[in-house]
């Protein structure tokens, strides 16, 4: 899967001409730990230790870079913006983003807590599989990692066909009193669509995927992956419920963005659970070759 992500990202960048430039230090870290990916594939997933941890980190970092590159590249196709559709869906639920944001701004303690929850995205992404490995649940960590990779590819594909500015487009330049820490960078999105932006540094890459919400997807995956740990179950569920809400307040997502992100994550986690055992059985067959007939007295006599 990491090789597929990398190949897809390179092909898409060649096709669209949109390139993400990374500095030498930014490329060095994943290059150094990519050896762990080899270990990850050729050794048993149930082995622990620093090499298995390194393998998970290598895969996550490699795929995250590929998703960042893909998310920018696909916007060059400039499909029609779907903000009006998403706003109408939100209104069918009785939700008005601007009204909600203006109300919650009056609750600074709630804003602070939601901001902390919003910032746990990368922490959960990295430490959820590592924590599971430490508990001896490497297959669960494998499922989380594979589900995230599937989520990344699906959200990028959907965001290409159904692009949107997100709730940031409702506010425009008037952002002083609103929480738009994770808002779609409108200048970059519009420049990608009209062809004036074709090269961007990795440090300047922002959350350009509006629909579906990748924050909400990770919130679901983190909860599902750690649900088997009774002592953490409800704490993680509460944290990720708050992170889902913070995708609206701090990520400038519509409600339908969040629902779509949760749906993509649920499907990805289910598919990853099916693919995991299938891939392990397939790799075991490849490594051992075709089954040899067991010697018996009957066929020895023949």
């Amino acid at each position: 899967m990491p090789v597929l992500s990398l190949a897809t990202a390179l092909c898409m960048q060649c096709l669209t001409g949109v390139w993400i430039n990374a500095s030498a230090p930014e490329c060095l870290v994943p290059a150094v730990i990519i050896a762990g990916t080899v270990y990850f594939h050729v050794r048993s997933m149930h082995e622990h230790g620093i090499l298995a941890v390194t393998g998970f980190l290598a895969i996550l970092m490699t795929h995250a870079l590929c998703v960042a590159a893909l998310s920018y590249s696909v916007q060059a196709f400039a499909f029609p913006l779907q903000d009006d559709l998403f706003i109408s869906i939100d209104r069918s639920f009785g939700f008005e983003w601007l009204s909600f944001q203006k109300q919650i701004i009056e609750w600074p303690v709630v804003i602070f807590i939601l901001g902390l929850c919003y910032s746990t995205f990368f922490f959960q992404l990295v430490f959820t599989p590592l924590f599971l490995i430490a508990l001896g649940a490497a297959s669960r960590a494998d499922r989380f990692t594979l589900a995230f990779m599937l989520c990344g590819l699906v959200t990028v594909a959907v965001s290409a066909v159904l692009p949107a500015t997100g709730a940031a487009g409702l506010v425009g330049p008037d952002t002083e009193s609103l929480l738009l820490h994770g808002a779609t960078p409108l200048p970059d999105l519009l420049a990608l669509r009209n062809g004036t932006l074709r090269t961007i540094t990795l440090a300047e890459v922002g959350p350009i995927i509006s629909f579906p919400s990748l924050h909400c997807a990770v919130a679901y995956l983190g909860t599902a992956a750690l649900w088997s740990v009774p002592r953490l179950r409800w704490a993680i569920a509460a944290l990720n419920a708050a992170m889902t809400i913070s995708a609206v307040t701090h990520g400038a997502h519509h409600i339908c963005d969040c629902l779509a992100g949760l749906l993509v994550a649920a499907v990805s986690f289910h598919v990853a659970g099916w693919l995991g055992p299938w891939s392990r059985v397939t790799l075991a067959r490849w490594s051992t070759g075709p089954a040899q007939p067991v010697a018996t007295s009957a066929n020895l006599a023949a």
Side-chain angles (χ1 to χ4, degrees), residues 27-49:
C27 294
L28 182 61
V29 175
V32 168
I33 68 174
I34 201 69
T37 306
V38 177
Y39 175 88
F40 181 87
H41 283 292
V42 301
R43 299 293 296 274
S44 170
M45 282 301 303
H46 296 280
E47 296 182 20
H48 317 311

Side-chain angles (χ1 to χ4, degrees), residues 67 71-72 74-75 81-87 90 97 118 152 154-170 180 182-186 189 206-217 247-248 251-262 264:
V67 169
S71 65
Y72 269 69
V74 297
Q75 295 306 319
L81 293 172
Q82 301 295 323
D83 290 279
D84 290 341
L85 171 62
F86 299 148
I87 292 172
D90 276 11
W97 189 89
Y118 186 82
V154 171
T155 53
V156 166
V158 173
S159 70
V161 180
L162 300 172
T165 64
L170 296 173
L180 294 170
T184 296
L186 295 181
L189 177 63
I208 207 163
I209 298 176
S210 179
F211 178 90
S213 168
L214 196 54
H215 252 78
C216 292
V248 179
H253 280 288
H254 295 296
I255 292 294
C256 59
D257 298 345
C258 300
L259 295 177
L262 294 172
V264 169

Side-chain angles (χ1 to χ4, degrees), residues 27 40 45 55 65 127 150 168 196 218 229 297:
C27 294
F40 181 87
M45 282 301 303
L65 291 173
F127 284 97
L150 292 172
T196 58
V218 170
V229 185
S297 57

Side-chain angles (χ1 to χ4, degrees), residues 66-116:
C66 292
V67 169
L70 282 168
S71 65
Y72 269 69
S73 297
V74 297
Q75 295 306 319
F77 294 123
F79 283 95
L81 293 172
Q82 301 295 323
D83 290 279
D84 290 341
L85 171 62
F86 299 148
I87 292 172
S88 66
I89 294 175
D90 276 11
R91 285 175 178 168
S92 69
F93 294 125
F95 180 82
E96 290 281 351
W97 189 89
L98 284 175
S99 298
F100 173 77
Q101 191 80 328
K102 289 178 180 178
Q103 290 175 1
I104 203 167
I105 202 76
E106 300 176 0
W107 300 82
V109 175
V110 174
I111 291 171
F112 177 74
I113 293 173
L114 290 176
L116 290 179

